[in-house]
Structures are given as structure tokens and as C-alpha cells.
Amino acid sequence: MISIGHEIPEPAETSFADRGLKLHGLELVRVGLPLRDPWTTAAGAFRVRDSLLVRVVLEVLGDGEGGEQIEGWGECGALPAPSYSSEYTEEAARVSVDRLVPALAGGGVARACEVIGALSATKGHNMAKTAFEGAFLDAELQAAGRSLASYLASASRARGGQRTRVTAGVAVGLAPSLGELVEQVGGWVAQGYKRVKLKIRPGQDMEVVAAVRERWPDLVLAADANGTYAAIPFDEAVGSLRALEPFGLVCVEQPLADDDLLGHAELARRTELPISLDEALSSLSMLAAALRLGACSVANIKAGRLGGYLEAVKAHDLCNEQGVPVFCGGLVETGVARAANVALAALPNFKLPGDLSASGRFFEMDLTSTMALGPDGAIAVPEGPGLGVSVDTSAIASFATWRLWCPVGG
Ligand code: MG
């Protein structure tokens, strides 16, 4: 019997705890951050990362008037268009204004663990909700003087301790030619990355994987189909994917449609390839069903898709208890989400390197202090309070395309 979910503890009490926290206000900021290179998948390409950020301002209640204010930042993983999931930035901003901010402001919410519950009257929109939870986590943990990584480790049931460094990886989009793809991969390998995930689709798979594997026999290599094999007959998809078996892939991710758990289970029975799921894992319940059906032997954990970092911890624990290793996915995020993802990936069952790359992977100029790739191919888990990185508010101001400050109360 697979059980899901458990109580998540609140952060340890601190010197602030006896004074309490109060929500002072929320700010929504939309930024247009130019990418180094266009990001291309089977669903399309974009050159500018249109992202929604959330800034929460909490007031630390003191003895006198006008308590100290602490701000925290969160990032919505929704892409500029509904190409990865149905969520996209424009809609995330709209639902935040219309529904999520009023629910938090009206609900007296001041603690991160209350955020997702307070937003439950709005269905879906997990990525937008996660941005709010992330901002509250950052602010509350700063008030508590505690790092996000340490808090998530204490919230997990898994034993094995918290990593101090996480192995980095790059996801490489579709390239116009095989030569350009090999050149791109070569650039990342030269920078010190030890794990690469290639985007594949029918007709653009075996030769892609073979070319990279031939050039780098020891590289940790994965492939991500983003559901594209759903467009061809099932037996043909099985044949195409089985042709990838000789190349030592750590997994092939989401070959079939988002909701096709039965198809993935059948595919897993017919190939030696480890199957990973991404888009399919839209909730803890979907993850539990996928595990029960044998639809995946690896899970890609994305907090935004699952509806929060605390949900992601539960997903990690569920997989851990089933002996299924996980890795942390990415959504072309800025340093705000990357810092939170690195903290999440410090949990012990993140046994496979994820899509966590250093600050320079996507952007010439990021929105936080730098997270650098070490000679070991890993990124240090931030140790400071909250996200543990400094958010560059002047960079945010210069890339902002829209912002809305929403004060709470009087
Ligand atoms: Mg994926």
C-alpha cells in the first residue's frame, strides 16, 4: 500500500517566534530577461524569459510600533506560452491579481506552510501558487535565521542528511543540426558539466543520442521527449525508444502524453530504458498512481508543477520510500527559483543529477548573486537564511515590464 502525504513541520522556533509575523504586502513583478541563446523544444522557441516574480513583505511584530520588515522572493515557473503545461506567464499574473493575492491578503496568512491551503479555492495554477509559497518561505526563514535547504531537510522523512553540493546538469534544447548540437554539448562539457539531458522527438532521436554518446562515452546522459512520441503509433514509439537502449541513458523522460500513465507503464514493460516522468506528475496523487502502475522508475521533481516546495518534499519522500530515485527539473528559471531548486535537490533521494545549472547557463545577467559551477561539476547549496542568495533588486527593476504593489490592511 502506498501512502502519500504527511505533516510538514514548521520551521524551528527562533528569537522572532514569540513576536510573530504579519503580512505587510505583496508585489507582483513581471520581468523580460533576455536569454543567451533561444530556448527551443518541440513546442516552440523563445528568446526572452517572460517571468513572474512575487515579493512578499512580512512585518516582524515587536514590542513597540513599526516592527522590522523582511522581504522574500519567489518565482513562477510558468513559461511565456502554454507549451510545457497549460500555465503561462500572462495567465499566472492575471490569476495572481484576481484570486491569489486577495486570498492571501484576506486570509491573514503570514506563514509559508499556510500559503497553499489558503489558495485552495482556486483550482490548478500550481506554478503561480508555488511562487507565493517560495516568497513566504524565503521571508519567514530569513526571519528565523535559517536556510531553505536546512528547513526542507527537516521537513523530509528521508534519512541520509542534507548535501552541501549538488551535481549540476544542463538540458540542451533541439538544435538546427547535429553538428550544432554536438558543438553546444561540447561547450557545456568544457565548462565542467558532467550530465547532459538532450531533447528528442520522433525522427530526431537515435542519431542525436548516438552522436553525443560517441563523442563523450562517459558523460551522464539523459533524453527528454516532452510527450512527442504520443504523435506516432504506440508500437512505433516502442521501437524508436528501444533503439536508444545501447547508449547507456540514465533515463528517457516523458515519451508519451502528459496523462498517459497506462501507456508509460506498458512502455516500461517493453523496454530496458529507465522511464522518467515529468509533465505527468502534476500532483502527489498522480505520482502515487504512476508508482503503483510501474509507469516510471525515475521521477523528475519540479516544485512548481507539484504545487509547492513542501509538496515537492512529500513527492521526494514518497519516491524514496518506493526506492525510486529522483532528480530536480528546471523551467529556464532565474536565480530566484534556481536557489530554491538547489536547496530542494540537497535532499538525499535526489540521487541523479538534475537540470540545475550555474547562473550563466541561460542569462547574461541573472537576478541573484552568482551560483557557480565548481571543478567537481557541482553547485554549492546556499547556506544563508532563506534562499541564501542576494536578490539583485536593481536588475529586477531594469528588466521589469510590469509591477503591482498590493498593500495589506491599513
Ligand atoms: Mg522534461
Side-chain angles (χ1 to χ4, degrees):
M1 181 68 186
I2 297 175
S3 67
I4 63 167
H6 64 285
E7 291 299 313
I8 298 283
E10 290 192 24
E13 299 301 327
T14 71
S15 58
F16 289 110
D18 58 345
R19 291 185 285 169
L21 298 167
K22 183 178 156 216
L23 178 57
H24 178 73
L26 290 152
E27 188 178 25
L28 303 169
V29 187
R30 205 161 154 184
V31 292
L33 205 58
L35 291 172
R36 245 178 223 283
D37 304 298
W39 176 244
T40 306
T41 69
F46 56 90
R47 293 174 174 277
V48 173
R49 183 58 166 107
D50 176 17
S51 288
L52 178 68
L53 303 173
V54 170
R55 181 171 74 98
V56 61
V57 180
L58 297 181
E59 193 174 328
V60 182
L61 300 175
D63 299 330
E65 291 180 14
E68 181 191 358
Q69 289 185 354
I70 295 185
E71 68 176 28
W73 287 90
E75 178 173 351
C76 174
L79 295 181
S83 52
Y84 165 78
S85 72
S86 61
E87 287 187 75
Y88 61 105
T89 310
E90 173 80 30
E91 183 194 54
R94 179 175 295 265
V95 79
S96 296
V97 171
D98 291 348
R99 303 272 307 178
L100 306 185
V101 168
L104 293 169
V109 171
R111 312 288 299 245
C113 62
E114 301 166 344
V115 170
I116 298 299
L119 302 178
S120 61
T122 297
K123 291 204 176 192
H125 301 284
N126 282 352
M127 294 182 187
K129 292 174 179 176
T130 299
F132 287 91
E133 188 204 54
F136 274 83
L137 278 169
D138 183 26
E140 185 179 349
L141 288 164
Q142 285 183 62
R146 191 162 177 200
S147 73
L148 178 60
S150 130
Y151 170 59
L152 296 179
S154 75
S156 170
R157 285 185 297 196
R159 294 290 156 258
Q162 172 205 329
R163 284 187 189 83
T164 56
R165 300 181 68 75
V166 299
T167 304
V170 280
V172 179
L174 294 167
S177 71
L178 213 48
E180 285 172 74
L181 176 78
V182 170
E183 192 179 324
Q184 280 183 28
V185 173
W188 300 120
V189 171
Q191 284 190 26
Y193 286 101
K194 300 185 188 314
R195 177 272 202 188
V196 166
K197 185 165 88 178
L198 302 169
K199 294 286 184 185
I200 59 168
R201 60 182 171 187
Q204 217 172 337
D205 43 21
M206 195 179 78
E207 75 282 10
V208 171
V209 173
V212 174
R213 175 52 81 212
E214 187 182 344
R215 178 76 179 73
W216 293 281
D218 299 325
L219 188 65
V220 178
L221 202 55
D224 184 3
N226 289 112
T228 46
Y229 289 81
I232 62 174
F234 183 72
D235 285 341
E236 203 179 308
V238 172
S240 297
L241 293 163
R242 287 188 63 169
L244 301 178
E245 288 175 357
F247 300 104
L249 297 173
V250 289
C251 62
V252 171
E253 184 169 306
Q254 195 73 42
L256 304 173
D258 292 8
D259 56 358
D260 190 3
L261 293 185
L262 292 175
H264 283 103
E266 175 67 14
L267 175 64
R269 281 190 284 276
R270 290 174 59 180
T271 174
E272 307 277 303
L273 288 170
I275 301 296
S276 166
L277 291 177
D278 176 1
E279 288 89 336
L281 306 180
S282 53
S283 67
L284 278 179
S285 300
M286 287 296 282
L287 171 61
L291 296 175
R292 177 80 64 89
L293 290 166
C296 65
S297 54
V298 174
N300 175 335
I301 303 288
K302 288 179 181 169
R305 161 166 43 70
L306 287 158
Y309 283 90
L310 301 181
E311 287 295 286
V313 172
K314 296 181 193 176
H316 161 274
D317 289 358
L318 181 58
C319 289
N320 186 52
E321 285 154 19
Q322 298 295 312
V324 169
V326 305
F327 68 90
C328 187
L331 287 162
V332 195
E333 292 125 323
T334 78
V336 174
R338 185 180 307 112
N341 290 342
V342 168
L344 179 66
L347 293 176
N349 193 37
F350 281 87
K351 289 178 178 150
L352 301 173
D355 304 334
L356 299 171
S357 35
S359 300
R361 162 67 180 95
F362 291 116
F363 311 106
E364 292 285 353
M365 185 174 181
D366 206 343
L367 302 180
T368 64
S369 51
T370 302
M371 279 165 277
L373 188 69
D376 56 350
I379 300 171
V381 177
E383 292 176 347
L387 289 176
V389 290
S390 57
V391 175
D392 186 342
T393 51
S394 60
I396 289 174
S398 64
F399 290 110
T401 55
W402 171 83
R403 56 198 310 168
L404 180 68
W405 167 248
C406 312
V408 173

